[in-house]
Amino acid sequence: MTSPLLHLPGAVAGDGIDAPVAAHYGSFNGEQRVLETGEGFVDLSHRDVIRVEGPDRLSWLHSLTTQFFEGLAPGVWTEALVLSPQGHVEHAFAGVDDGTAFVAHTEPGAGQPLVDFLDRMRFMMRVEVTLQTPELAVAWRPSSGERPATYDLVPRSRLVAYAEAAGPAAGSWAFEALRIARGEPRLGLDTDHRSIPNELGWIGPAVHLDKGCYRGQETVARVHTLGRPPRRLTLLHLDGSENRLPVRGSEITLGEKAIGFVGTSARHYELGPIGLALIKRNVPVDAALTVDGMPAAQEVIVDPEVGLHVRPRR
């Protein structure tokens, strides 16, 4: 759904999955700096939004997902995953309960498949699941002082008014650069069909280890207990001499051996060109790699031995 904020001065549309929102408004480096000071907002209104309401919603989500939903207090944001029976990540979403309904956002195009899955799992539970993308838009605001970084769910009809109050606007390129630097993957862009939570730093933020059974739990628990997940998410510091970013999905090699693939990449205002990659666990953390014909150095995000994110999530 194309954002009305593309009519703001200087707005340049994004591309690919992020085409419906602005990539930048004139200076993606300057926009990163503004966000880092705690000012401004990012238009993410192309993301899909779902709503789960009904008296059984939290216990039902608790039974289906990786997150501990029982007793979730109103106003507290949380992340959750839906796994396959083999433990592979099928859906990822983040949301908040308001006391009557749980409203969450997910990747563009992923909302209806998530609604369809949840609908199939309702059975006799008193819940109703609907796609809310036409009614609700998503925006992101950076941390400032005591206020943590947060997502806002905005009535789509009030998005322009929200932008006027929350400005200055920053584009998706600035948001992506800061997200990549934090080591936060996007499902479907930094992952593949074999990805498990232990490889991606999602143990803790999106996977609660002290809860009852859910689909795929056996794989998550086994890898967490034994350690050494098959692969690990890593931050790549890319050679900027060619003045380009690698093509998403490009093979990463160590010498002549293929050891993984690159996901999203961006130009960070301080770090230069960076990207997220999913590579084999046993690749030495100090090994120099090659991606799409460019040299790349590593920075550890997910510990190769225990499968946990090595930096606090902001």
Side-chain angles (χ1 to χ4, degrees), residues 61-76:
L61 289 169
H62 184 92
S63 69
L64 292 176
T65 75
T66 59
Q67 190 54 272
F68 200 106
F69 275 95
E70 290 184 346
L72 179 66
V76 178

Side-chain angles (χ1 to χ4, degrees), residues 39-42 139-141 152 160-169:
E39 299 296 322
F41 78 100
V42 180
W140 181 84
R141 302 194 71 176
D152 289 335
V160 173
Y162 172 91
E164 291 172 353

Side-chain angles (χ1 to χ4, degrees), residues 6-212:
L6 283 174
H7 296 296
L8 291 179
V12 175
D15 53 16
I17 196 173
D18 296 329
V21 296
H24 62 85
Y25 298 89
S27 173
F28 62 90
N29 277 331
E31 291 162 21
Q32 289 180 56
R33 292 187 176 93
V34 169
L35 291 174
E36 287 285 76
T37 68
E39 299 296 322
F41 78 100
V42 180
D43 175 17
L44 298 176
S45 60
H46 62 317
R47 291 184 65 82
D48 277 345
V49 179
I50 71 163
R51 177 183 175 90
V52 183
E53 57 186 323
D56 296 331
R57 67 190 181 283
L58 294 181
S59 59
W60 182 62
L61 289 169
H62 184 92
S63 69
L64 292 176
T65 75
T66 59
Q67 190 54 272
F68 200 106
F69 275 95
E70 290 184 346
L72 179 66
V76 178
W77 278 85
T78 191
E79 301 175 48
L81 310 173
V82 172
L83 307 182
S84 74
Q86 295 75 35
H88 302 138
V89 184
E90 293 186 339
H91 299 282
F93 56 93
V96 63
D97 196 83
D98 64 4
T100 61
F102 180 78
V103 183
H105 63 90
T106 186
E107 288 292 336
Q112 190 61 57
L114 178 55
V115 168
D116 293 343
F117 167 79
L118 293 173
D119 262 338
R120 292 196 301 270
M121 305 302 291
R122 280 195 304 167
F123 305 116
M124 301 298 292
M125 304 299 286
R126 296 171 297 170
V127 294
E128 182 179 354
V129 187
T130 55
L131 185 68
Q132 295 286 294
T133 310
E135 290 78 31
L136 287 176
V138 182
W140 181 84
R141 302 194 71 176
S143 60
S144 178
E146 297 298 316
R147 185 196 74 198
T150 187
Y151 291 95
D152 289 335
L153 297 168
V154 184
R156 196 167 289 274
S157 61
R158 293 194 50 79
L159 189 57
V160 173
Y162 172 91
E164 291 172 353
S172 63
W173 284 4
F175 177 81
E176 288 291 280
L178 300 180
R179 174 191 63 82
I180 291 168
R182 294 192 300 267
E184 299 175 4
R186 287 178 68 178
L187 183 66
L189 299 180
D190 298 305
T191 68
D192 60 15
H193 69 284
R194 296 185 296 117
S195 298
I196 63 174
N198 314 67
E199 299 174 329
L200 301 165
W202 276 335
I203 303 297
V207 179
H208 198 292
L209 294 173
D210 299 322
K211 58 165 287 183

